[in-house]
Each structure stands twice: as structure tokens, then as C-alpha cells.
Amino acid sequence: MKLIVRWLLLAAALLLVAHLYPGVTVASFGSAMVAAFVLGLLNTLVRPLLVLLTLPVTLLTLGLFLFVINALMFWSAASLLEGFAVTGFAAALIGSLIYSACGMVIDVAVEHLFARE
């Protein structure tokens, strides 16, 4: 149940990103749900490999290169899907920053909501 609630909230966050920043467009809530799922898959499967491969650059930039990796994941998800579009790398960077901030808030809220006392 926790996973489904988190997925729905992340899809809503993707719609919020599209509403706040004009460089990101999402066609519908269904497209946002698919995009949130694909983003989750990319972040789970591909991102760790990219982080490992770019570790020297990440260390050299004191971790700032991780923002580039997040933007690449956001941009790749948009290139794979029909109802989710990003106009360029700058839009992917800003969109991924907003989406990550929303994701952190959602994680805290979901943990608080499903906390066992």
C-alpha cells in the first residue's frame, strides 16, 4: 500500500513540475504515472551504474555531477515516453531538481503516514 501511495504522489509531483516549469510537459495523469514508474526504474537500475562509472568526476566536482546524472535520468525517461516531454538539458536539470525536492517531501510524508507506533 505504501508503494502505491508513493507512486501516485510522485505522479502528482510530476504534474506539479509540468505546471511550475514550462520546459516539462505531461499529457495526463496516466502519462505521469507511467513516467513516474519509468523514472523509478531508471533510478533503480541505471543510475547506480552511472554513479559508479562517473565516480572520479563526481569526487572532483564535490558531488555536483550527481545533478547532471539526475537530469540525464529525467531526460532519458522523457525520450522513452510519449506523454512526457522535456525541451532540453536545462529543462531536464530544473525539472529533476523540482521533482527531487518533491520526492524528498513525499518520502517524509509517506514515512510519517505509515509510521508504526
Side-chain angles (χ1 to χ4, degrees), residues 49-99:
L49 182 64
L50 283 178
V51 169
L52 186 64
L53 289 174
T54 61
L55 192 60
V57 177
T58 304
L59 290 174
L60 190 63
T61 61
L62 302 176
L64 292 177
F65 194 74
L66 292 175
F67 290 123
V68 173
I69 293 174
N70 285 341
L72 288 173
M73 294 296 99
F74 203 75
W75 201 7
S76 345
S79 68
L80 291 173
L81 301 171
E82 290 274 330
F84 176 44
V86 177
T87 57
F89 183 75
L93 182 62
I94 294 170
S96 70
L97 288 173
I98 298 170
Y99 186 70

Side-chain angles (χ1 to χ4, degrees), residues 1-84:
M1 186 66 169
K2 183 176 162 181
L3 184 65
I4 293 171
V5 170
R6 186 174 183 275
W7 179 34
L8 291 171
L9 289 175
L10 285 172
L14 202 52
L15 287 174
L16 178 68
V17 170
H19 180 72
L20 292 176
Y21 188 67
V24 177
T25 56
V26 179
S28 65
F29 186 71
S31 297
M33 287 180 59
V34 172
F37 180 74
V38 169
L39 274 168
L41 279 179
L42 285 173
N43 283 332
T44 302
L45 302 174
V46 178
R47 188 175 186 272
L49 182 64
L50 283 178
V51 169
L52 186 64
L53 289 174
T54 61
L55 192 60
V57 177
T58 304
L59 290 174
L60 190 63
T61 61
L62 302 176
L64 292 177
F65 194 74
L66 292 175
F67 290 123
V68 173
I69 293 174
N70 285 341
L72 288 173
M73 294 296 99
F74 203 75
W75 201 7
S76 345
S79 68
L80 291 173
L81 301 171
E82 290 274 330
F84 176 44

